[in-house]
C-alpha cells in the first residue's frame, strides 16, 4: 500500500473511535483498522477495532437505554429521526466526499444518490414511527383482544462495504422508529461515514446508548455480535456464505434474524422493448456503483431477434463510460472498493474464458497510468450460457454476462435458474407480458421497463439464497417489532372448568 497521496481535508477531521453509550471512546484492546482510499490505495485513516470487550460494553449500553427509549412516545422518536434526516442533508457535502474517499463511489453518485437516499430513509421512518397501529380482533363474547407491536429489544446490525451510508439508514431507521436500541457493526473496509452519522445522531439528541457503533472485523467482532445473548435480533446484509454463519451463531439464544444476501439479477430484454431505454437501463443496472450491488442486473438476457441491435448500442454506451478518480464530478465509474475484491472480479474474466465465453468489452484494468495504483476494472461484457459460473456466482463488479433466448417460456426458465432470488427486470411494451413475467420471476423485487429502483416506501429483500425479511416500506416495521396479543375479560363469565 502506498501512502503517497495527501490525506484529503474531509478525512482529517473524521471520527475514528468507537461510539458507545453516547460517547466516542478508544477500543479496549487498542487495535486499529487501517482504511484505504481505493483510488490509489493510500492510507486514509486508522479506525479503532472493536473486540468482544467493546461489544459487551456496547450491548450493555444498548440494554440500559432500551426501557426508556421504548417508553419514549413514537411521535418523539419520529421527531428525532426527522432531525437526523435534516442533519444528514446539512452535512451532505462532507458525507458525500467522505463516502467517495472510503468506497470509491463517484462523487456524483454519493451526492446524487447515496446521501439523499440515506436522508430519505431516515425521513421515511421518522414519519412512520407514530403510524404503526395495532389491531382489535373479533374473539369470544365477553372478551376484548387487541394486538400491539412491541420493539424486539436490542438489534445487532451488520452491514457490508458496498453502500455503508445507505445500509446504516435502512437498518437504523426502522429499528429506532419501532423503539429498539441498536449496536451496529459496519464493514471493516468502509467504516468512516457511519461514525459521522453517530456524531450527527448525538448532536440532534438521540439519547446515549440508543445507538452504538462498533467497527470491527467480521470473523471476530461480527461473529461475537451474532452470537451475543444480549442481542434480540440480528439484521444482516452481506454475502450468503456469511449469512449462513450468522444464522448458526444466532442459535444460542434463538435471536431473530433478518438476512439481505447476494443476488444474480436477470435483466430481460424482449423484442418489443423500447430499445434505447433498455440499453441505458441495462448499463445502469450493472455499472452503477461499479457493479457492487446485490440487485445488479448481472445477467443480461436478450431475445435473439434484437440481440445484435441491442448489443451494438449497449457496447457503445459501456465503452463510453467515464472511468476515473471518483472525486472528479465527471467520473461515472470509480474504483472497486478494495484490491482483494478487484482481483476477485478480474479472476472471473479467466473463468469466463475457460468456460467458452467471448469477451465483448473490457476484461481488465484501465490503461490510464493515473489509475494504475487503484482498484479499477473496466466495464466488462462477456457472452455466457445459463449454467456457466459467471451466470451462477455473484461477481459483484462491472461485469455482465450476455445470453440470448428464443421466447418467453425459455427466458423465464433461464431467469429462475439460479439459487438467488433478489431482484430482476424486464423490458417490453406488452403490458400483459410485463405482468405475466413479473409474476413468473422468482425474486423479491421485479422492475418492468426500469431497473434498480429503490424507495424507502417499498419493501426490499429476496427469496431463496438471497435471504429473508424485508427492509424498508411498512413491512420493515413488522421486521423490527413483535406482535403482542392482550386479552381483557370485559364481562365474560368464569369458564366452567374448576368452577366450585
Ligand atoms: P460479507 O458477508 O463478507 O460481510 C458483510 C458484513 O458481515 C461485514 O460487516 C463483515 O465484517 C461481516 N462479517 C463477516 N464475517 C462475519 C461473521 N462470521 N459473523 C458476522 N459478521 C461477519 O459481505 P461483503 O463482501 O462485505 O458484501 C458483499 C455482499 O453483500 C454481496 O454478496 C452482496 O450481494 C451482499 N449484499 C446484499 C444486499 C441485500 O440487501 N440483499 C445488499 C448489499 C450487499
Amino acid at each position: 500500500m502506498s501512502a503517497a497521496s495527501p490525506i484529503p481535508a474531509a478525512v482529517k477531521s473524521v471520527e475514528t473511535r468507537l461510539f458507545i453509550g453516547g460517547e466516542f471512546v478508544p477500543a479496549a484492546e487498542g487495535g486499529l483498522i487501517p482504511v484505504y482510499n481505493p483510488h490509489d490505495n493510500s492510507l486514509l485513516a486508522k479506525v479503532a477495532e472493536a473486540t468482544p470487550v467493546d461489544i459487551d460494553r456496547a450491548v450493555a449500553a444498548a440494554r440500559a437505554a432500551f426501557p426508556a427509549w421504548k417508553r419514549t412516545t413514537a411521535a418523539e422518536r419520529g421527531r428525532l429521526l426527522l432531525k437526523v434526516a435534516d442533519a444528514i442533508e446539512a452535512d451532505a457535502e462532507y458525507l458525500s466526499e467522505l463516502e467517495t474517499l472510503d468506497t470509491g463511489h463517484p462523487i456524483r453518485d454519493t451526492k446524487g444518490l447515496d446521501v439523499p437516499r440515506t436522508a430519505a430513509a431516515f425521513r421515511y421512518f421518522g414519519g412512520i414511527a407514530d403510524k404503526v397501529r395495532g389491531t382489535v380482533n373479533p374473539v369470544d363474547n365477553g372478551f376484548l383482544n387487541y394486538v400491539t407491536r412491541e420493539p424486539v429489544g436490542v438489534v445487532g446490525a451488520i452491514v457490508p462495504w458496498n453502500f455503508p451510508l445507505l445500509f446504516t439508514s435502512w437498518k437504523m431507521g426502522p429499528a429506532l422508529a419501532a423503539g429498539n436500541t441498536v449496536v451496529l457493526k459496519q464493514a471493516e473496509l468502509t467504516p468512516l461515514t457511519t461514525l459521522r452519522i453517530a456524531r450527527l445522531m448525538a448532536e440532534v439528541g438521540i439519547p446515549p446508548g440508543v445507538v452504538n457503533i462498533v467497527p470491527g472485523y467480521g470473523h471476530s467482532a461480527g461473529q461475537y455480535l451474532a452470537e451475543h445473548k444480549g442481542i434480540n435480533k440480528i439484521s444482516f446484509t452481506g454475502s450468503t456464505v456469511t449469512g449462513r454463519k450468522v444464522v448458526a451463531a444466532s442459535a444460542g439464544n434463538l435471536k431473530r434474524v433478518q438476512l439481505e444476501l447476494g443476488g444474480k439479477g436477470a435483466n430481460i430484454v424482449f423484442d418489443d422493448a423500447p430499445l434505447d431505454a433498455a440499453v441505458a437501463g441495462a448499463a445502469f443496472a450493472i455499472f452503477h456503483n461499479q457493479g457492487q450491488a446485490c440487485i445488479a442486473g448481472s445477467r443480461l438476457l436478450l431475445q435473439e431477434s434484437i440481440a445484435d441491435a441491442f448489443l451494438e448500442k449497449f457496447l457503445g454506451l459501456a465503452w463510453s463510460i467515464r472511468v476515473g478518480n471518483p472525486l472528479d464530478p465527471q467520473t461515472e465509474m470509480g474504483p472497486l472498493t478494495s484490491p482483494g475484491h478487484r482481483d476477485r472480479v478480474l479472476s472471473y474474466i479467466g473463468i469466463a474464458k475457460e468456460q467458452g465465453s467471448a469477451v465483448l468489452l473490457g476484461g481488465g484494468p484501465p490503461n490510464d497510468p493515473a489509475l494504475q495504483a487503484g482498484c479499477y476494472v473496466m466495464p466488462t461484457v462477456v457472452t455466457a450460457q445459463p449454467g456457466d459460473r459467471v451466470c451462477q456466482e455473484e461477481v459483484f463488479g462491472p461485469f455482465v454476462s450476455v445470453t440470448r433466448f428464443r421466447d418467453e417460456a425459455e427466458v423465464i426458465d433461464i431467469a429462475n435458474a439460479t439459487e438467488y432470488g433478489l431482484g430482476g427486470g424486464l423490458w417490453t411494451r406488452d403490458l400483459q407480458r410485463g405482468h405475466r413475467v413479473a409474476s413468473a420471476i422468482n425474486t423479491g423485487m421485479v422492475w418492468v421497463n426500469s431497473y434498480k429502483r429503490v424507495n424507502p416506501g417499498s419493501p426490499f429483500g429476496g427469496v431463496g439464497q438471497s435471504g429473508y425479511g424485508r427492509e424498508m416500506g411498512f413491512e420493515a416495521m413488522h421486521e423490527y417489532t413483535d406482535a403482542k396479543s392482550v386479552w381483557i375479560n370485559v364481562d365474560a363469565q368464569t369458564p366452567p372448568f374448576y368452577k366450585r
Side-chain angles (χ1 to χ4, degrees):
M1 300 284 174
S2 93
S5 63
I7 301 221
V11 178
K12 276 192 184 143
S13 59
V14 80
E15 186 50 72
T16 56
R17 292 167 295 174
L18 315 178
F19 185 70
I20 298 176
E23 290 177 354
F24 285 99
V25 293
E29 294 181 16
L32 294 171
I33 303 173
V35 182
Y36 298 98
N37 178 348
H39 165 59
D40 57 7
N41 285 317
S42 57
L43 186 68
L44 279 176
K46 288 185 180 172
V47 167
E49 179 199 345
T51 58
V53 192
D54 304 297
I55 306 266
D56 283 343
R57 283 166 57 213
V59 173
R63 292 228 75 82
F66 175 63
W69 184 244
K70 179 185 169 184
R71 276 197 310 275
T72 303
T73 63
E76 172 63 6
R77 293 197 299 263
R79 192 185 69 83
L80 286 169
L81 289 175
L82 294 174
K83 286 177 83 172
V84 173
D86 291 344
I88 288 168
E89 280 170 352
D91 200 39
E93 283 287 320
Y94 181 99
L95 277 171
S96 307
E97 189 174 341
L98 194 58
E99 190 79 327
T100 289
L101 289 166
D102 201 3
T103 62
H105 298 190
I107 190 82
R108 66 178 217 152
D109 288 351
T110 53
K111 276 188 179 167
L113 294 174
D114 300 50
V115 172
R117 285 179 173 181
T118 300
F122 277 112
R123 186 161 289 127
Y124 176 82
F125 288 107
I128 218 173
D130 61 358
K131 318 245 169 356
V132 180
R133 302 163 83 176
T135 49
V136 177
N137 297 310
V139 290
D140 313 303
N141 285 342
F143 284 93
L144 169 68
N145 174 245
Y146 62 87
V147 175
T148 56
R149 304 292 316 183
E150 302 285 312
V152 298
V154 178
V155 171
I158 301 178
V159 295
W161 46 260
N162 59 328
F163 288 103
L165 270 178
L166 212 55
F167 294 145
T168 295
S169 68
W170 289 12
K171 297 194 186 304
M172 291 272 196
L176 298 179
N180 304 283
T181 55
V182 178
V183 177
L184 183 143
K185 191 202 86 64
Q186 67 273 57
E188 50 271 45
L189 287 171
T190 56
L192 299 181
T193 47
T194 310
L195 290 167
R196 179 72 171 187
I197 296 282
R199 175 169 293 287
L200 299 179
M201 286 181 151
E203 283 172 4
V204 304
I206 300 275
V210 168
V211 165
N212 305 273
I213 310 288
V214 283
Y217 290 104
H219 61 86
S220 50
Q223 180 78 25
Y224 189 73
L225 187 63
E227 288 169 1
H228 207 291
K229 297 229 172 16
I231 295 284
N232 301 100
K233 167 187 167 120
I234 287 281
S235 177
F236 174 80
T237 300
S239 63
T240 300
V241 170
T242 310
R244 288 199 188 95
K245 290 183 190 165
V246 167
V247 172
S250 72
N253 69 335
L254 297 178
K255 56 177 70 68
R256 281 177 68 163
V257 179
Q258 178 178 351
L259 299 175
E260 303 290 342
L261 308 177
K264 197 69 207 175
N267 192 14
I268 303 168
V269 184
F270 285 103
D271 56 7
D272 65 341
L275 211 59
D276 287 341
V279 166
F284 180 74
I286 186 61
F287 298 125
H288 166 242
N289 207 38
Q290 297 71 250
Q292 301 166 127
C294 48
I295 51 175
S298 55
R299 291 182 297 148
L300 189 50
L301 307 180
L302 305 178
Q303 193 152 20
E304 273 168 355
S305 51
I306 49 97
D308 288 337
F310 181 95
L311 274 177
E312 192 184 334
K313 287 175 181 245
F314 181 71
L315 293 174
L317 178 57
W319 182 83
S320 73
I321 289 174
R322 291 188 292 270
V323 178
N325 185 339
L327 281 175
D328 180 343
Q330 299 301 316
T331 291
E332 294 170 324
M333 236 182 73
L336 303 191
T337 296
S338 70
H341 186 58
R342 173 204 52 203
D343 294 347
R344 183 178 173 278
V345 170
L346 288 173
S347 77
Y348 273 96
I349 291 151
I351 290 168
K353 285 182 186 162
E354 268 169 34
Q355 294 203 293
S357 291
V359 178
L360 304 180
L361 188 75
N367 294 325
D368 184 346
L371 306 181
Q372 296 310 310
C375 306
Y376 291 89
V377 175
M378 292 304 281
T380 297
V381 184
V382 304
T383 62
Q385 295 308 309
D388 291 351
R389 282 182 63 188
V390 294
C391 294
Q392 295 295 322
E393 298 171 19
E394 192 180 36
V395 179
F396 219 58
F399 182 107
V400 63
S401 65
V402 175
T403 305
R404 297 174 187 234
F405 67 91
R406 281 186 307 278
D407 56 26
E408 189 178 310
E410 186 191 26
V411 81
I412 289 169
D413 285 347
I414 296 174
N416 288 338
T418 82
E419 60 177 5
Y420 293 112
L422 191 58
L426 64 127
W427 300 80
T428 180
R429 284 198 171 89
D430 179 338
L431 182 65
Q432 290 181 325
R433 175 153 69 185
H435 286 291
R436 202 166 52 234
V437 178
S439 162
I441 295 178
N442 194 19
T443 57
M445 293 163 286
V446 181
W447 298 276
V448 180
N449 293 332
S450 76
Y451 204 98
K452 255 178 111 175
R453 298 298 310 178
V454 291
N455 185 287
S458 177
F460 183 104
V463 299
Q465 301 303 296
S466 294
Y468 41 77
R470 292 293 178 271
E471 309 219 80
M472 303 202 286
F474 217 92
E475 283 81 351
M477 298 307 288
H478 280 199
E479 299 285 347
Y480 287 92
T481 53
D482 286 317
K484 180 176 212 166
S485 174
V486 180
W487 290 77
I488 308 286
N489 184 340
V490 183
D491 66 356
Q493 299 303 306
T494 309
F497 320 110
Y498 310 116
K499 202 172 175 186
R500 297 287 183 267

